[in-house]
Amino acid sequence: MHDEISEVARHRQVRGGARLAGIVTDLARPVDVVGSSMPVGQLEVMFRNPEVTCVVVVEDGGTRTGVIMRSGLTAALTGRLGYGRAVLERRPTSAVTDWNPMVVHPHDAVSAVATRAMERADDHRYDDVLVAGDRWASASTADLMRSLVAALADRSTHDPQTRLPTRAATWHSLARRCELVRGTGTRVVVVLLDVRGMAALNARHGFTVGDTVLVELAARMSGGLPRGCEAGRVDGDRFAVLATLPPMDDIQAAASADHLRRHVLANLAGPSGAVDALVWPELRSSVVWSVAGSASSEELVREAESRLTRSAGQAERPARPEVPLDPAAPAPQPAAPAQRPPDAAALPLRRVG
């Protein structure tokens, strides 16, 4: 069982790394190959195609491989005095070939290739990179840099293990949702999920098994969410689900928020084929939602965390009336026995989902 889990974890890490950093073959496209004796005049005709940015040159009767960039050919044909074309038109392609191009393996990481490309001399720094394989291909330096920047941006907002948004990204999205509901009849819902016993699971079965469990939970959670909802990893063993409810009354909102919580838990119930039932963890959950048209991300998170913490040390209690969390309402004060309790609509949620 452990061998199977290890293989699944390794496979997912490889796929995740490929998505995040990328391999150069994902950016490469086929390139034309010519012999070194071809006249430069014929080479110029090939570059009339706007999609041709470079041409690979294979030395006739030799072993060298070179490249000709469009920019390099244009500069050569222009010449210092404007006579380049007349001088070179009938000369072999080898006369304008760069015989020291940068050549990489198809599965080299984009990050490594981009770094090497930018370390080249100034006159060749932005030349295409040749990708060796069954057929020659090339990747532009511009595409390499764009992919690298996108990967770095993704790494800053997504957890590299589960591929879910990070804590900062999740709470930023929550704050944005809270801004959008102001003055409307909509509400924001936060569901918190805590994976119980992760430390013991790691200690007993190893971190590879624990990582596989978390990756599986994240995949099933995000894949089974209703449209408009989003999930994030907000701690090592804690996840959050965010949603916005359409206009509805308090009773309907309570039912919808709890339905979302139960829906998420149902998608996570029981192990998958990659994880044995003996190591599949239990989940503890809480749910909070705002009043219509007003929401505070700080209050929602604080209340959801508080309920999740309280649920850890108490048994399930009989259901009590649930009301929306109103960030504008004052904190409830203990009422004297003879006094009438405050209006329930001003009280924060009490029951842990």
Side-chain angles (χ1 to χ4, degrees), residues 1 5 201 205 209 213 269-282:
M1 183 268 291
I5 291 177
L201 189 153
H205 300 283
V209 175
V213 169
S272 67
V275 182
D276 192 277
L278 295 177
V279 300
W280 191 251
E282 296 182 7

Side-chain angles (χ1 to χ4, degrees):
M1 183 268 291
H2 285 192
D3 291 340
E4 180 183 4
I5 291 177
S6 299
E7 178 61 23
V8 171
R10 184 197 65 77
H11 181 60
R12 283 178 173 164
Q13 288 170 358
V14 169
R15 290 192 307 165
R19 285 197 304 271
L20 183 60
I23 54 178
V24 71
T25 192
D26 295 334
L27 304 178
R29 52 184 179 177
V31 62
D32 293 326
V33 180
V34 301
S36 60
S37 61
M38 171 188 283
V40 172
Q42 295 183 25
L43 183 67
E44 184 183 11
V45 174
M46 297 178 63
F47 276 100
R48 291 176 183 175
N49 182 346
E51 296 184 358
V52 176
T53 59
C54 72
V55 172
V56 169
V57 181
V58 177
E59 186 178 30
D60 295 333
T63 59
R64 292 189 300 174
T65 299
V67 66
I68 299 176
M69 298 294 302
R70 175 190 294 276
S71 57
L73 179 62
T74 300
L77 292 178
T78 302
R80 295 178 58 186
L81 300 177
Y83 298 111
R85 179 174 283 100
V87 173
L88 294 173
E89 185 174 11
R90 297 184 180 180
R91 295 193 62 184
T93 294
S94 59
V96 293
T97 298
D98 171 18
W99 292 108
N100 294 292
M102 179 176 169
V103 181
V104 299
H105 189 274
H107 292 93
D108 285 348
V110 166
S111 57
V113 174
T115 300
R116 287 179 53 196
M118 297 309 294
E119 291 174 347
R120 292 180 292 184
D122 292 346
D123 53 343
H124 291 292
R125 181 169 297 162
Y126 298 101
D127 287 357
D128 286 6
V129 174
L130 296 188
V131 182
D134 295 336
R135 179 179 178 183
W136 283 103
S138 69
S140 72
T141 302
D143 287 344
L144 290 169
M145 296 307 297
R146 278 193 292 265
S147 178
L148 180 59
V149 170
L152 293 174
D154 183 82
R155 185 184 293 273
S156 68
T157 58
H158 286 77
D159 172 45
Q161 183 182 57
T162 63
R163 306 304 307 130
L164 291 179
T166 60
R167 178 188 182 93
T170 301
W171 294 154
H172 176 78
S173 182
L174 174 61
R176 180 59 178 163
R177 285 178 182 264
C178 291
E179 291 177 2
L180 294 176
V181 303
R182 292 176 183 173
T184 69
T186 58
R187 309 165 187 256
V188 177
V189 177
V190 177
V191 177
L192 278 187
L193 299 167
D194 184 68
V195 185
R196 304 183 63 181
M198 279 302 302
L201 189 153
N202 288 329
R204 182 173 182 179
H205 300 283
F207 285 99
T208 299
V209 175
D211 290 347
T212 302
V213 169
L214 292 175
V215 169
E216 181 67 23
L217 281 169
R220 290 167 62 177
M221 184 186 311
S222 58
L225 288 179
R227 181 178 299 179
C229 300
E230 57 186 312
R233 186 181 184 184
V234 297
D235 208 342
D237 54 2
R238 188 165 294 182
F239 300 89
V241 174
L242 311 180
T244 302
L245 297 180
M248 60 181 65
D249 60 35
D250 288 346
I251 296 178
Q252 291 175 320
S256 296
D258 194 60
H259 176 75
L260 174 62
R261 181 186 67 85
R262 295 177 183 276
H263 173 80
V264 173
L265 290 176
N267 285 337
L268 304 179
S272 67
V275 182
D276 192 277
L278 295 177
V279 300
W280 191 251
E282 296 182 7
L283 298 175
R284 187 170 62 249
S285 65
S286 67
V287 60
V288 292
W289 64 97
S290 69
V291 295
S294 179
S296 165
S297 59
E298 293 82 2
E299 291 291 335
L300 286 169
V301 172
R302 187 181 301 115
E303 188 65 21
E305 292 276 5
S306 176
R307 290 195 186 89
L308 197 60
T309 300
R310 291 199 302 267
S311 71
Q314 66 182 22
E316 185 69 20
R317 296 179 178 178
R320 299 177 60 182
E322 292 182 315
V323 293
L325 179 65
D326 185 354
Q333 300 296 324
Q339 293 179 338
R340 179 181 177 181
D343 184 2
L347 292 175
L349 286 168
R350 292 295 184 185
R351 177 173 175 266
V352 178

